[in-house]
Amino acid sequence: MPTTHDTREEAAVAPRKSRRRAWTSAVGAVAVAVSALVMTSATVVQAADPATVCNGGDGRRPDAGSGTYGQVNSAAIPGGGGTLYLFYNNTTGYNCAVTINAGVGTTYMDVGLRQTGNNGTAQWNSGQFGQYAGPVYVSARGICVDTTGAVGDQSTALIGTNCGS
C-alpha cells in the first residue's frame, strides 16, 4: 500500500506544478507584451529637429524668410536629458538657440541667448515643455554669444562662442 500512497501524492503534486508553470508563463507573457508596448511607444515619439525649429517661421523669427540657419555649435545636457543647439543665419547675422528634450513627456526646460557681455540683448524661453524650449533669437554679427539650456534640473552653457562675422 505505500506505493499507492506515493502515487496519490505525485498525482496531487503534479497539477500544482502545472498551475504554477501556467501562472508563471502567463505573467512572463504579460511582462513581454508590456515591455514591447513601452519600447514601441518610446520609439514613436521622436525629438524635434532643431534646424526645423530655428527655421520654422513660427512668428518668433525676427528675420522671417531671409536665408536659413545653419548649426554652429551644440552641447549635451548632463545626464542625457537633451541637447542645447546654436544656429547662425549668415544672411541676417542672427543667432538662434533651442534646447531639445531627449526624453518623453513634459518637463521643465529653458534656453537663453545673449551677446557676450551684454545682458541687454538676452532672450529667454522657459516653462514646462514636451519637445523643446525656444527658439530664441539675437542679432550678433561679428559678436560672440553666450547660450544656456536646461532640461529638468540639469543645464549646460556655451560661453563666448560663434564669434565670426
Side-chain angles (χ1 to χ4, degrees), residues 106-120:
T106 301
T107 189
Y108 173 81
M109 297 176 65
D110 71 32
V111 64
L113 178 63
R114 70 177 184 182
Q115 293 177 352
T116 298
N118 185 351
N119 292 333

PDB file of all heavy atoms in Angstrom, residues 106-120:
ATOM      1  N   THR A 106       6.425  65.834 -20.622  1.00  0.00           N
ATOM      2  CA  THR A 106       6.615  67.241 -20.323  1.00  0.00           C
ATOM      3  C   THR A 106       7.523  67.401 -19.107  1.00  0.00           C
ATOM      4  O   THR A 106       7.381  66.687 -18.121  1.00  0.00           O
ATOM      5  CB  THR A 106       5.254  67.901 -20.044  1.00  0.00           C
ATOM      6  OG1 THR A 106       4.435  67.725 -21.200  1.00  0.00           O
ATOM      7  CG2 THR A 106       5.387  69.370 -19.748  1.00  0.00           C
ATOM      8  N   THR A 107       8.442  68.362 -19.194  1.00  0.00           N
ATOM      9  CA  THR A 107       9.360  68.654 -18.101  1.00  0.00           C
ATOM     10  C   THR A 107       9.771  70.117 -18.178  1.00  0.00           C
ATOM     11  O   THR A 107       9.558  70.762 -19.204  1.00  0.00           O
ATOM     12  CB  THR A 107      10.605  67.732 -18.154  1.00  0.00           C
ATOM     13  OG1 THR A 107      11.369  67.914 -16.965  1.00  0.00           O
ATOM     14  CG2 THR A 107      11.470  68.022 -19.362  1.00  0.00           C
ATOM     15  N   TYR A 108      10.373  70.631 -17.099  1.00  0.00           N
ATOM     16  CA  TYR A 108      10.882  71.997 -17.143  1.00  0.00           C
ATOM     17  C   TYR A 108      12.048  72.061 -18.125  1.00  0.00           C
ATOM     18  O   TYR A 108      12.943  71.218 -18.102  1.00  0.00           O
ATOM     19  CB  TYR A 108      11.364  72.474 -15.767  1.00  0.00           C
ATOM     20  CG  TYR A 108      12.033  73.829 -15.860  1.00  0.00           C
ATOM     21  CD1 TYR A 108      11.272  74.986 -15.912  1.00  0.00           C
ATOM     22  CD2 TYR A 108      13.421  73.939 -15.976  1.00  0.00           C
ATOM     23  CE1 TYR A 108      11.874  76.228 -16.056  1.00  0.00           C
ATOM     24  CE2 TYR A 108      14.034  75.174 -16.109  1.00  0.00           C
ATOM     25  CZ  TYR A 108      13.252  76.314 -16.155  1.00  0.00           C
ATOM     26  OH  TYR A 108      13.849  77.545 -16.315  1.00  0.00           O
ATOM     27  N   MET A 109      12.027  73.078 -18.987  1.00  0.00           N
ATOM     28  CA  MET A 109      13.118  73.310 -19.935  1.00  0.00           C
ATOM     29  C   MET A 109      13.303  74.808 -20.086  1.00  0.00           C
ATOM     30  O   MET A 109      12.352  75.580 -19.911  1.00  0.00           O
ATOM     31  CB  MET A 109      12.792  72.708 -21.305  1.00  0.00           C
ATOM     32  CG  MET A 109      12.636  71.217 -21.300  1.00  0.00           C
ATOM     33  SD  MET A 109      12.131  70.573 -22.906  1.00  0.00           S
ATOM     34  CE  MET A 109      13.551  70.982 -23.873  1.00  0.00           C
ATOM     35  N   ASP A 110      14.545  75.208 -20.429  1.00  0.00           N
ATOM     36  CA  ASP A 110      14.772  76.611 -20.774  1.00  0.00           C
ATOM     37  C   ASP A 110      15.895  76.729 -21.787  1.00  0.00           C
ATOM     38  O   ASP A 110      16.655  75.787 -22.010  1.00  0.00           O
ATOM     39  CB  ASP A 110      15.021  77.481 -19.539  1.00  0.00           C
ATOM     40  CG  ASP A 110      16.356  77.249 -18.857  1.00  0.00           C
ATOM     41  OD1 ASP A 110      17.361  76.922 -19.516  1.00  0.00           O
ATOM     42  OD2 ASP A 110      16.414  77.419 -17.635  1.00  0.00           O
ATOM     43  N   VAL A 111      15.946  77.908 -22.400  1.00  0.00           N
ATOM     44  CA  VAL A 111      17.022  78.269 -23.318  1.00  0.00           C
ATOM     45  C   VAL A 111      17.198  79.775 -23.221  1.00  0.00           C
ATOM     46  O   VAL A 111      16.225  80.523 -23.103  1.00  0.00           O
ATOM     47  CB  VAL A 111      16.733  77.816 -24.767  1.00  0.00           C
ATOM     48  CG1 VAL A 111      15.516  78.512 -25.355  1.00  0.00           C
ATOM     49  CG2 VAL A 111      17.952  78.000 -25.664  1.00  0.00           C
ATOM     50  N   GLY A 112      18.455  80.210 -23.206  1.00  0.00           N
ATOM     51  CA  GLY A 112      18.771  81.634 -23.157  1.00  0.00           C
ATOM     52  C   GLY A 112      19.867  81.948 -24.153  1.00  0.00           C
ATOM     53  O   GLY A 112      20.739  81.119 -24.422  1.00  0.00           O
ATOM     54  N   LEU A 113      19.838  83.171 -24.700  1.00  0.00           N
ATOM     55  CA  LEU A 113      20.824  83.586 -25.706  1.00  0.00           C
ATOM     56  C   LEU A 113      21.053  85.086 -25.553  1.00  0.00           C
ATOM     57  O   LEU A 113      20.098  85.854 -25.407  1.00  0.00           O
ATOM     58  CB  LEU A 113      20.296  83.265 -27.108  1.00  0.00           C
ATOM     59  CG  LEU A 113      21.141  83.661 -28.309  1.00  0.00           C
ATOM     60  CD1 LEU A 113      22.477  82.931 -28.322  1.00  0.00           C
ATOM     61  CD2 LEU A 113      20.369  83.357 -29.601  1.00  0.00           C
ATOM     62  N   ARG A 114      22.329  85.488 -25.584  1.00  0.00           N
ATOM     63  CA  ARG A 114      22.664  86.917 -25.489  1.00  0.00           C
ATOM     64  C   ARG A 114      24.007  87.162 -26.165  1.00  0.00           C
ATOM     65  O   ARG A 114      24.812  86.246 -26.362  1.00  0.00           O
ATOM     66  CB  ARG A 114      22.738  87.373 -24.045  1.00  0.00           C
ATOM     67  CG  ARG A 114      23.950  86.798 -23.320  1.00  0.00           C
ATOM     68  CD  ARG A 114      24.084  87.296 -21.919  1.00  0.00           C
ATOM     69  NE  ARG A 114      25.312  86.786 -21.338  1.00  0.00           N
ATOM     70  CZ  ARG A 114      25.698  87.011 -20.121  1.00  0.00           C
ATOM     71  NH1 ARG A 114      24.954  87.742 -19.317  1.00  0.00           N
ATOM     72  NH2 ARG A 114      26.827  86.518 -19.670  1.00  0.00           N
ATOM     73  N   GLN A 115      24.254  88.433 -26.476  1.00  0.00           N
ATOM     74  CA  GLN A 115      25.587  88.826 -26.903  1.00  0.00           C
ATOM     75  C   GLN A 115      26.490  88.722 -25.679  1.00  0.00           C
ATOM     76  O   GLN A 115      26.098  89.111 -24.580  1.00  0.00           O
ATOM     77  CB  GLN A 115      25.591  90.263 -27.418  1.00  0.00           C
ATOM     78  CG  GLN A 115      24.822  90.466 -28.686  1.00  0.00           C
ATOM     79  CD  GLN A 115      24.798  91.930 -29.107  1.00  0.00           C
ATOM     80  OE1 GLN A 115      25.232  92.815 -28.373  1.00  0.00           O
ATOM     81  NE2 GLN A 115      24.283  92.186 -30.295  1.00  0.00           N
ATOM     82  N   THR A 116      27.697  88.184 -25.842  1.00  0.00           N
ATOM     83  CA  THR A 116      28.619  88.037 -24.719  1.00  0.00           C
ATOM     84  C   THR A 116      28.880  89.395 -24.083  1.00  0.00           C
ATOM     85  O   THR A 116      29.186  90.365 -24.773  1.00  0.00           O
ATOM     86  CB  THR A 116      29.948  87.407 -25.187  1.00  0.00           C
ATOM     87  OG1 THR A 116      29.667  86.108 -25.703  1.00  0.00           O
ATOM     88  CG2 THR A 116      30.940  87.275 -24.047  1.00  0.00           C
ATOM     89  N   GLY A 117      28.730  89.466 -22.767  1.00  0.00           N
ATOM     90  CA  GLY A 117      28.986  90.686 -22.014  1.00  0.00           C
ATOM     91  C   GLY A 117      27.894  91.723 -22.099  1.00  0.00           C
ATOM     92  O   GLY A 117      28.043  92.824 -21.595  1.00  0.00           O
ATOM     93  N   ASN A 118      26.760  91.401 -22.717  1.00  0.00           N
ATOM     94  CA  ASN A 118      25.689  92.390 -22.883  1.00  0.00           C
ATOM     95  C   ASN A 118      24.367  91.761 -22.451  1.00  0.00           C
ATOM     96  O   ASN A 118      23.685  91.121 -23.233  1.00  0.00           O
ATOM     97  CB  ASN A 118      25.612  92.848 -24.341  1.00  0.00           C
ATOM     98  CG  ASN A 118      24.603  93.967 -24.536  1.00  0.00           C
ATOM     99  OD1 ASN A 118      23.839  94.297 -23.637  1.00  0.00           O
ATOM    100  ND2 ASN A 118      24.605  94.537 -25.718  1.00  0.00           N
ATOM    101  N   ASN A 119      23.995  91.979 -21.205  1.00  0.00           N
ATOM    102  CA  ASN A 119      22.750  91.417 -20.690  1.00  0.00           C
ATOM    103  C   ASN A 119      21.514  92.019 -21.347  1.00  0.00           C
ATOM    104  O   ASN A 119      20.445  91.443 -21.314  1.00  0.00           O
ATOM    105  CB  ASN A 119      22.666  91.609 -19.174  1.00  0.00           C
ATOM    106  CG  ASN A 119      23.691  90.771 -18.448  1.00  0.00           C
ATOM    107  OD1 ASN A 119      24.098  89.728 -18.947  1.00  0.00           O
ATOM    108  ND2 ASN A 119      24.124  91.236 -17.287  1.00  0.00           N
ATOM    109  N   GLY A 120      21.646  93.185 -21.951  1.00  0.00           N
ATOM    110  CA  GLY A 120      20.501  93.858 -22.560  1.00  0.00           C
ATOM    111  C   GLY A 120      19.928  93.139 -23.766  1.00  0.00           C
ATOM    112  O   GLY A 120      18.783  93.352 -24.123  1.00  0.00           O
TER     113      GLY A 120
END
